[in-house]
Amino acid sequence: MPAPAELLDLIQRFDRNLDAYRSGQYNETQVRREFIDPFLKLLGWDVDNSKGYAEQYKDVVHEDAIKVEGTTKAPDYSLRIGGQRKLFVEAKKPSVNIKQDIAPAFQVRRYAWSAKLPLSILTDFEEFAVYDCRHRPDKNDAASHSRIMYFTFREYEERWDELVGLFSPKSIMQGAFDKFAQSSKKKRGTAEVDDAFLAEISEWRDTLARNIALRNDGITTRQLNHAVQRTIDRLIFLRIAEDRGIEAYGRLRERAEGKEVYASLGKLFQQADAKYNSGLFHFKAEKGRSDESLDTFTLGLSIDDKVLKGIIERLYYPDSPYQFDVIPADILGQVYEQFLGKVIRLTAGGQAKVEEKPEVKKAGGVFYTPTYIVDYIVEQTVGKLVDGKKPGKAGGVSKLRVLDPACGSGSFLIGAYQFLLDWHLGEYLKDTGRWAKRGEPTIYQNQRGEWRLTIGERKRILLNNIYGVDIDPQAVEVTKLSLLLKVMEGETEQTLGTQMRLLPERVLPNLSQNIQCGNSLIGPDFYDGQMSLGLLDEEEMYRVNVFDWAAAFPDIVPWGGFDAVIGNPPYIRIQAMKQWAPKEVEFYKTAYQSASRGNYDIYVVFVEKGLKLLNNNNGLLGFILPSKFFSTDYGLAIRQLISETNTLEKIIDFGHHQVFENATTYTCLLFLSSKNEPTTNVEFLVIEPEEIQNIRGNYAQLDRRFISEQPWMLIKTGERDLLEKITSQSLPLSKIMLDMARGSSTGADKVFVLKKTKSGDLVTHENEKVQIEAEILRRPIYATDFHRYLFSPKNSEEIIFPYDVQANDYTLFDESYFKSCFPVAYAYLSSKKSVLNKRKQAKSWYGYSAPRSLNVHEQAEIFIPLLANHGMFALAPNEKDPFTLMASAGFSLRIDSQIASKELIAGLINSKLIFWNLSLISNKFRGGWITCTKQYFSKLPIHEFATNQHKPLPITDQIFELVKTLTDLKTKELLVKTAQERTMLQRQIGAVDRQIDQLVYALYELTPEEIAIVEAAVK
């Protein structure tokens, strides 16, 4: 693409006056107006908002260049796509040496790193630099540090294609910018802002906890957690307010420069109380103000000056890498979500220790919901509920109540609140004359002429519409903090001052009635029949934290409930909960239908509670949660409840694709509706998580008749018809097999399993040489030892096998018999007795912890792996060394030879068609793997003509013979020495495999269209 004539004109005009520009005759504003604005327009950016987009959707946001401590307070340009920031552009006057000056580079990197943007641009038009902003900035970094692109204005023409290809709106929307950012990312040395800030505030927590515990005798664990959290929250709130221009810059730092720092900060906190009316700063009782957030405790604490000075010092430029006014709310939420996963504990000696919460430890960590998931759930719930309604105090949206019953750090409530702010602003802009000139205006214009919601309107929306509950008091405070910061977003001290003169009240709302602390799942009836409250264990009372919904929300719950229930409920299996909350586990079983059928996960209880909290007219629920309840036994009760109440509206299943970073969790989006007349069909999609951002209503339809307590299969009509077709001609595999049994677990493989060296010696896992009687040794069999059709053990290990196996049973050796017949093995295991006795499941110190179905494995005919990503089921060889099938390997299968042959069954279950069927009904895992447990495998449809109950067909005879041919070819493949022989055999194997698939299609009478469905799904 040739450079446009307008660009060449800019270059020539700049070149003619270069000396004047370099001498400092031009300031940043002139450079922006005359050169950088036109330059960005040529790249395709709507710099002047000529399209008339609402504020939240403008392509380009211009920031005020307010000087603070020698730096500009905000980046000059924020370039956005669909309202989402993509990169900053920082403008300088031409007298600045961009190539070598440290300060400008540090500044733009600081902005973008704080905003978690991968790349940003620094330019004075004469020079153009692009920085990788994922590296934590340091004030001493050279200007070239993290710079990935640099050239001057004389190269613009030559590199115009490159500039347009990376930084134009069109290229960004097509993904070129993101690909470039990813390709330029250097893993080493990166420290993104959320990780860095989490480490920062975690260090503050450790330091404050130790110091407060040391300096304040008699403080309790709960008081300590409260004091530390409130101190951190207050400092962050005020520091963000400074960077936003709401508070005078440097006030915290000024307090830290003198003595008695905490007392001085206390006065600042009290001033904040008078100004903001927030529960974060609530130190004295007032008429009409809830006492729930009243704090008469923390201001009287003693905290050493050194501790506070160290924290506050790292909050300011140039020591701080953070630019607090550009850190997104969702990044703060991610940080706090991780932060709240730990709690402070006081030791017996009064020392403070920070440790992971038990529920977090069992769950493998804290996992923050990505913003795009939050936004989609909000759009599908709150977005539908506002449709057709009017804004304002008298409008229908004023009556909308949105709840997150496990709000954590508040990400879903922030998303819902932001959606409502944007929606209201959009509605008011349709008639600015009406809404800006009322007695209590809802919108106003700032200095740049941009329309914004007034602070009073933002408060009204928050108090009217947003509600949350969490069992963790610290999470409740963080949610309040996040929402309060969102109320003040975009305001300055000047704009607030002007509005407060019109509305003589303090800036922020008190959220104590909106965001409350308690156990969403347990009400006061938990104590029915127990001892009087005064005799109950205090720690248990605080941990259980019963919550009375009707008393907490008297204007909502008794009058129908909430209009939208959204969130990401906790995922905790009751097996883990029993260790710290056994009474709660039993309570759920009696109080909730979803928990009444044996084992369960706590998220299914939240689904049931969410349904109960919805209003009965047109309430909508949207959760992200594990998809396992679709098919597992523990999901039967919640499937039954959803089908009985006819509430299922939409499902988006992410299959084996992952949503949460650093966690393997198979999730879906579940949408329920309490409207009285549900549609005939349920909408569903099976997609990758990121694709959700581009959904345009292209949902598949699932007949509501298939939503029952039985496992759910999210398949299209054609797929369901095919499934019904092959099932109608078949018997379930359970009618043909004799047994299907899981492999064994020793509970101490490092003791029982020995490695065999090349010389034939046996060694322990610690490489100690041992001699064990050969008659008591067997080969352990793992998943890697059997493949498609072929059983081929390759490991060089032996396992001690102290069992006697008969045709129909097995028994552990009597100890006296073991000792006399196998003295060496007995002596070896005796030397490991202390390790073996630590196993909880083993019935005998020298037996396996779970010796499952040893007699079944002896007679196995087909081996089934625990996980498979294609048909990989192996026929057992006719002659085999004695072996022990390990639990991690999978299952052994015995076929009733009176009904069918093992070769024919192996041919069917390895075919694409039957594996397609298995993949529809089984659990899915990362990488396209599925489980092959008996629960699913036993349901596979075996064509009735593949059984001995019918005369063999030519097709079944052919499948039988081809399976035998295939196993012979695969056996030969193991023995070949040259690559050419191996290639020839693999080609033959592939050809036979394809023939079997085609014969199976013919056996089940598939049409070309039906074959295409299978072939597209199974590669």
Side-chain angles (χ1 to χ4, degrees):
M1 175 192 301
E6 295 92 332
L7 175 66
L8 301 180
D9 180 62
L10 283 177
I11 294 170
Q12 291 167 6
R13 185 153 48 89
F14 191 88
D15 199 12
R16 284 196 301 267
N17 298 288
L18 184 57
D19 290 339
Y21 298 147
R22 284 177 173 172
S23 68
Q25 294 181 27
Y26 260 44
N27 59 33
E28 291 168 21
T29 303
Q30 291 171 301
V31 171
R32 288 174 60 179
R33 185 174 63 251
E34 294 189 27
F35 293 101
I36 299 177
D37 282 1
F39 184 78
L40 292 175
K41 289 177 184 178
L42 290 173
L43 284 172
W45 294 99
D46 187 4
V47 174
D48 302 321
N49 194 29
S50 58
K51 297 173 185 174
Y53 288 156
E55 177 65 24
Q56 63 268 31
Y57 298 116
K58 284 183 178 179
D59 281 3
V60 180
V61 175
H62 302 267
E63 307 290 351
D64 281 337
I66 301 171
K67 292 288 182 180
V68 176
E69 296 288 318
T71 68
T72 55
K73 184 175 175 3
D76 295 303
Y77 302 87
S78 177
L79 306 185
R80 308 190 302 180
I81 299 292
Q84 181 184 5
R85 285 174 180 159
K86 298 304 290 187
L87 73 160
F88 289 143
V89 177
E90 181 62 19
K92 294 297 173 189
K93 56 187 178 182
S95 58
V96 172
N97 188 333
I98 284 177
K99 187 174 184 179
Q100 296 182 352
D101 286 357
I102 289 176
F106 176 58
Q107 183 183 31
V108 73
R109 289 176 55 209
R110 189 166 172 247
Y111 289 145
W113 183 76
S114 296
K116 205 173 182 181
L117 300 180
L119 306 175
S120 277
I121 295 168
L122 176 65
T123 184
D124 57 1
F125 191 79
E126 180 186 3
E127 299 172 276
F128 185 95
V130 179
Y131 284 91
D132 183 339
C133 299
R134 289 163 292 207
H135 299 261
R136 178 171 177 155
D138 185 279
K139 62 182 180 181
N140 297 315
D141 287 341
S144 59
H145 191 288
S146 300
R147 190 166 64 205
I148 57 175
M149 187 182 291
Y150 172 86
F151 47 86
T152 70
F153 74 103
R154 301 187 194 282
E155 299 171 78
Y156 287 159
E157 179 181 4
E158 175 188 342
R159 304 186 70 161
W160 185 245
D161 275 352
E162 183 181 1
L163 287 166
V164 171
L166 291 176
F167 302 117
S168 68
K170 182 179 179 181
S171 295
I172 291 177
M173 284 189 283
Q174 291 174 343
F177 175 83
D178 291 331
K179 289 178 183 176
F180 176 73
Q182 191 61 34
S183 68
S184 65
K185 184 173 183 178
K186 297 177 181 178
K187 298 287 185 183
R188 181 175 294 179
T190 57
E192 297 198 59
V193 65
D194 45 0
D195 297 327
F197 195 55
L198 173 62
E200 192 91 58
I201 64 172
S202 297
E203 186 179 338
W204 299 351
R205 173 172 54 193
D206 294 350
T207 305
L208 282 168
R210 287 194 299 269
N211 190 253
I212 293 174
L214 178 66
R215 297 297 180 212
N216 298 271
D217 292 338
I219 193 169
T220 67
T221 298
R222 278 186 295 278
Q223 289 171 339
L224 180 59
N225 276 278
H226 171 77
V228 170
Q229 185 75 53
R230 279 297 174 93
T231 303
I232 291 173
D233 290 349
R234 287 165 182 164
L235 292 174
I236 289 173
F237 177 90
L238 291 175
R239 184 63 189 86
I240 291 174
E242 287 184 16
D243 265 3
R244 289 183 180 178
I246 298 169
E247 291 285 329
Y249 184 86
R251 294 184 77 192
L252 289 173
R253 185 165 60 186
E254 290 171 4
R255 299 311 190 272
E257 289 172 350
K259 295 181 178 180
E260 299 184 358
V261 175
Y262 190 63
S264 182
L265 285 173
K267 294 177 182 177
L268 196 61
F269 295 161
Q270 288 172 314
Q271 292 174 24
D273 186 11
K275 180 175 182 179
Y276 294 111
N277 185 42
S278 162
L280 185 59
F281 307 100
H282 185 188
F283 305 110
K284 59 183 180 181
E286 297 178 40
K287 186 178 180 180
R289 190 177 182 189
S290 170
D291 288 340
E292 187 176 330
S293 61
L294 181 62
D295 178 6
T296 59
F297 168 66
T298 60
L299 292 184
L301 292 171
S302 295
I303 305 177
D304 287 343
D305 287 355
K306 183 179 179 182
V307 170
L308 293 168
K309 287 176 183 286
I311 292 172
I312 292 172
E313 184 179 85
R314 298 205 301 271
L315 289 172
Y316 285 92
Y317 174 90
D319 296 312
S320 169
Y322 308 104
Q323 186 71 36
F324 288 99
D325 58 324
V326 297
I327 296 179
D330 62 312
I331 297 299
L332 280 176
Q334 290 176 37
V335 170
Y336 263 119
E337 197 85 23
Q338 297 289 332
F339 183 76
L340 293 172
K342 294 185 178 180
V343 67
I344 304 164
R345 178 179 62 85
L346 283 172
T347 66
Q351 290 185 320
K353 300 286 185 183
V354 178
E355 58 188 19
E356 205 165 35
K357 294 176 181 175
E359 62 269 30
V360 171
K361 189 174 183 179
K362 287 295 179 181
V366 176
F367 310 114
Y368 188 85
T369 311
T371 302
Y372 65 87
I373 296 290
V374 173
D375 290 345
Y376 183 79
I377 289 177
V378 169
E379 288 167 7
Q380 296 300 306
T381 52
V382 183
K384 288 188 173 183
L385 291 168
V386 301
D387 191 36
K389 293 184 173 66
K390 295 181 179 180
K393 286 184 178 180
V397 176
S398 68
K399 299 179 178 65
L400 184 67
R401 306 292 183 256
V402 181
L403 168 75
D404 184 345
C407 60
S409 65
S411 59
F412 277 86
L413 295 182
I414 292 169
Y417 183 43
Q418 183 64 62
F419 178 91
L420 288 169
L421 292 175
D422 292 343
W423 182 86
H424 278 87
L425 180 59
E427 291 297 304
Y428 294 145
L429 289 180
K430 294 176 182 178
D431 189 353
T432 56
R434 174 188 175 192
W435 295 104
K437 295 179 180 179
R438 299 159 59 90
E440 293 182 10
T442 59
I443 54 175
Y444 74 99
Q445 281 184 295
N446 63 17
Q447 288 178 313
R448 296 192 293 272
E450 298 162 340
W451 286 103
R452 293 186 50 80
L453 294 175
T454 63
I455 196 75
E457 179 65 1
R458 295 167 78 91
K459 289 163 61 176
R460 185 192 68 79
I461 294 168
L462 178 55
L463 290 173
N464 265 10
N465 300 130
I466 301 298
Y467 297 85
V469 175
D470 200 278
I471 194 171
D472 183 353
Q474 308 306 325
V476 168
E477 294 309 316
V478 168
T479 296
K480 291 178 184 177
L481 171 66
S482 299
L483 289 168
L484 294 174
L485 288 169
K486 178 61 72 173
V487 172
M488 297 197 303
E489 199 169 65
E491 301 292 348
T492 66
E493 192 167 24
Q494 181 180 10
T495 61
L496 285 179
T498 301
Q499 294 178 75
M500 289 305 101
R501 284 194 291 274
L502 296 174
L503 296 172
E505 58 186 34
R506 284 183 283 190
V507 172
L508 293 175
N510 190 323
L511 295 177
S512 59
Q513 298 305 305
N514 289 63
I515 313 299
Q516 300 198 39
C517 185
N519 190 326
S520 291
L521 303 179
I522 297 181
D525 57 331
F526 175 78
Y527 293 118
D528 290 353
Q530 297 191 45
M531 295 182 294
S532 65
L533 289 180
L535 297 176
L536 284 173
D537 178 74
E538 184 180 0
E539 284 304 315
E540 180 182 285
M541 289 177 61
Y542 275 101
R543 189 191 71 249
V544 175
N545 199 2
V546 299
F547 188 70
D548 187 335
W549 281 93
F553 302 107
D555 298 327
I556 301 174
V557 175
W559 299 96
F562 294 88
D563 301 282
V565 177
I566 58 177
N568 179 9
Y571 316 156
I572 310 172
R573 294 299 303 271
I574 58 159
Q575 293 91 326
M577 284 188 65
K578 284 178 179 177
Q579 298 180 26
W580 75 85
K583 289 184 180 179
E584 292 93 306
V585 168
E586 293 306 311
F587 174 81
Y588 297 143
K589 287 184 177 181
T590 58
Y592 291 93
Q593 176 181 333
S594 57
S596 62
R597 302 276 191 101
N599 290 334
Y600 60 92
D601 193 301
I602 200 69
Y603 71 81
V604 301
V605 185
F606 268 96
V607 173
E608 181 174 348
K609 186 65 180 182
L611 268 176
K612 290 178 180 178
L613 291 168
L614 279 181
N615 75 43
N616 296 323
N617 184 24
N618 191 29
L620 295 175
L621 178 147
F623 279 168
I624 177 171
L625 37 67
S627 56
K628 283 191 173 183
F629 81 92
F630 290 174
S631 56
T632 56
D633 291 339
Y634 79 70
L636 185 148
I638 191 63
R639 293 196 301 269
Q640 182 183 42
L641 175 64
I642 291 172
S643 64
E644 288 174 349
T645 54
N646 234 355
T647 48
L648 184 60
E649 185 171 86
K650 181 185 304 181
I651 295 176
I652 295 183
D653 183 16
F654 300 127
H656 60 85
H657 300 288
Q658 298 300 302
V659 171
F660 302 106
E661 290 186 13
N662 305 317
T664 300
T665 308
Y666 304 96
T667 53
C668 69
L669 304 186
L670 177 72
F671 295 96
L672 306 179
S673 170
S674 63
K675 59 186 177 183
N676 296 325
E677 298 179 0
T679 58
T680 303
N681 293 329
V682 172
E683 294 181 329
F684 79 92
L685 278 178
V686 181
I687 60 172
E688 294 185 29
E690 291 77 7
E691 293 176 5
I692 203 168
Q693 300 171 86
N694 301 313
I695 292 176
R696 293 294 180 267
N698 52 336
Y699 304 101
Q701 303 294 317
L702 175 64
D703 193 310
R704 195 174 290 277
R705 291 175 301 165
F706 297 110
I707 300 301
S708 68
E709 66 182 47
Q710 298 304 313
W712 295 350
M713 286 186 289
L714 303 184
I715 56 178
K716 299 175 184 177
T717 302
E719 294 172 321
R720 187 171 295 278
D721 291 344
L722 174 56
L723 193 61
E724 290 179 350
K725 176 179 178 177
I726 64 175
T727 303
S728 67
Q729 309 171 53
S730 306
L731 298 173
L733 183 60
S734 59
K735 299 289 186 182
I736 295 168
M737 66 188 191
L738 293 173
D739 300 286
M740 181 174 175
R742 177 87 181 265
S744 299
S745 299
T746 69
D749 284 359
K750 289 187 177 181
V751 173
F752 284 96
V753 178
L754 306 169
K755 295 182 289 185
K756 184 180 286 187
T757 65
K758 290 182 179 179
S759 60
D761 295 327
L762 292 179
V763 296
T764 67
H765 281 261
E766 292 79 26
N767 288 320
E768 298 172 358
K769 190 174 179 179
V770 292
Q771 291 183 339
I772 304 292
E773 294 89 349
E775 295 81 8
I776 201 173
L777 295 174
R778 292 197 173 196
R779 180 182 296 200
I781 299 301
Y782 304 103
T784 52
D785 293 324
F786 49 92
H787 309 280
R788 185 172 171 81
Y789 288 107
L790 188 68
F791 177 86
S792 177
K794 291 185 175 62
N795 73 78
S796 58
E797 295 179 342
E798 300 281 351
I799 186 170
I800 298 172
F801 187 80
Y803 289 90
D804 180 32
V805 180
Q806 304 299 323
N808 296 314
D809 201 5
Y810 61 92
T811 55
L812 180 68
F813 288 161
D814 178 79
E815 188 167 358
S816 60
Y817 171 82
F818 184 19
K819 184 175 183 180
S820 61
C821 292
F822 303 99
V824 179
Y826 182 85
Y828 165 72
L829 290 183
S830 296
S831 70
K832 308 292 184 180
K833 196 169 184 177
S834 60
V835 175
L836 297 175
N837 279 331
K838 292 179 181 178
R839 299 172 301 160
K840 295 181 180 180
Q841 306 298 324
K843 295 180 179 179
S844 171
W845 69 267
Y846 59 91
Y848 294 173
S849 59
R852 301 182 185 95
S853 307
L854 299 178
N855 56 307
V856 175
H857 305 322
E858 292 279 284
Q859 304 166 63
E861 295 168 314
I862 298 175
F863 290 103
I864 312 298
L866 188 61
L867 297 171
N869 64 353
H870 64 285
M872 47 194 303
F873 314 118
L875 281 163
N878 292 325
E879 295 181 5
K880 54 182 179 289
D881 294 333
F883 69 89
T884 294
L885 185 68
M886 307 302 284
S888 61
F891 308 86
S892 61
L893 180 67
R894 292 176 59 213
I895 299 298
D896 188 340
S897 58
Q898 305 262 330
I899 301 177
S901 72
K902 64 181 182 181
E903 289 85 1
L904 190 50
I905 297 301
L908 294 182
I909 63 177
N910 273 305
S911 71
K912 284 184 176 181
L913 176 62
I914 303 303
F915 188 80
W916 169 79
N917 182 298
L918 180 62
S919 67
L920 290 180
I921 62 176
S922 181
N923 281 332
K924 297 171 181 61
F925 292 89
R926 183 177 294 203
W929 294 77
I930 61 171
T931 49
C932 303
T933 57
K934 186 176 181 180
Q935 175 184 355
Y936 308 116
F937 213 80
S938 63
K939 297 176 182 177
L940 293 180
I942 304 301
H943 199 287
E944 59 184 356
F945 289 133
T947 68
N948 296 339
Q949 297 171 354
H950 294 268
K951 184 178 179 181
L953 297 176
I955 288 179
T956 55
D957 285 343
Q958 285 178 276
I959 294 172
F960 178 87
E961 293 299 330
L962 286 173
V963 168
K964 294 183 70 174
T965 300
L966 200 56
T967 53
D968 290 342
L969 290 171
K970 283 180 169 284
T971 302
K972 290 179 182 178
E973 183 188 10
L974 294 175
L975 303 175
V976 298
K977 303 297 183 183
T978 68
Q980 183 180 6
E981 289 177 293
R982 185 173 295 106
T983 299
M984 289 179 61
L985 280 168
Q986 286 173 347
R987 287 172 179 168
Q988 287 181 278
I989 289 168
V992 175
D993 231 341
R994 285 189 291 275
Q995 288 182 58
I996 293 174
D997 278 329
Q998 294 303 315
L999 288 169
V1000 173
Y1001 292 147
L1003 176 64
Y1004 288 86
E1005 300 179 322
L1006 265 63
T1007 66
E1009 292 77 16
E1010 291 168 336
I1011 293 172
I1013 290 174
V1014 177
E1015 292 283 339
V1018 182
K1019 304 300 181 185

